[in-house]
Amino acid sequence: LKDVYGMYKCDISGGICFMGAKTLIGEEVIGKNGKKLGEIEELMIDMRTRHVAYALMSFGGFWGMGERLFAVPFRALHNDGEKGHLYLDVDEEQINNAPYIEKDYWPDMADKNWIREVHAFYGVEPYQMGM
């Protein structure tokens, strides 16, 4: 955990209450089988609602070739409360079937159909009501 400022303290036992974006970027994402699925490349913030909507996770490939980028709903990620590791309740086989972002074709992340598809895949409710 890259706690540069000594800010990851919490009055609640066994947990990290707040994490900085710089800490999350580059963090590994561990799948339900305990293996690394990818790492966080960027956080997408919905400026209308002020919510962290998605963590962009890279997966697969070799030295950047064939690598895919996934918009994982931030609600689908959880941490261990201690070391800051991020966990996603899918495995490698499942992530291969996840909706992904093509390098030269970014989806409209405000499109309700896209939002519903991505959130349904990861089994979480959209952060916006009425989606």
Side-chain angles (χ1 to χ4, degrees):
L1 180 65
K2 303 170 283 204
D3 186 5
V4 178
Y5 300 107
M7 62 185 167
Y8 301 137
K9 297 174 180 69
C10 192
D11 290 337
I12 301 169
S13 63
I16 296 170
C17 290
F18 297 92
M19 294 183 78
K22 286 183 181 180
T23 300
L24 292 172
I25 295 172
E27 191 65 37
E28 290 184 352
V29 177
I30 310 299
K32 68 180 178 183
N33 60 3
K35 293 183 180 178
K36 177 183 172 184
L37 286 179
E39 66 182 53
I40 302 300
E41 300 293 335
E42 186 64 270
L43 298 177
M44 300 301 291
I45 300 168
D46 184 331
M47 296 305 291
R48 298 164 301 164
T49 63
R50 311 304 192 262
H51 283 91
V52 177
Y54 305 99
L56 296 182
M57 181 185 79
S58 59
F59 171 75
F62 185 69
W63 291 25
M65 301 295 289
E67 186 175 75
R68 289 184 172 177
L69 197 58
F70 299 86
V72 177
F74 202 69
R75 288 183 171 187
L77 294 166
H78 56 279
N79 71 19
D80 60 9
E82 297 288 331
K83 300 174 185 162
H85 294 307
L86 297 174
Y87 294 90
L88 184 59
D89 196 25
V90 298
D91 59 28
E92 291 177 7
E93 186 175 318
Q94 290 169 303
I95 203 71
N96 276 319
N97 295 315
Y100 64 94
I101 297 170
E102 294 189 34
K103 181 179 150 187
D104 296 325
Y105 178 73
W106 279 80
D108 177 358
M109 291 183 164
D111 178 70
K112 289 182 180 186
N113 291 325
W114 184 86
I115 291 169
R116 280 192 286 270
E117 176 189 5
V118 169
H119 284 79
F121 179 84
Y122 293 101
V124 295
E125 291 291 321
Y127 64 95
Q128 293 179 323
M129 299 305 289
M131 291 287 167

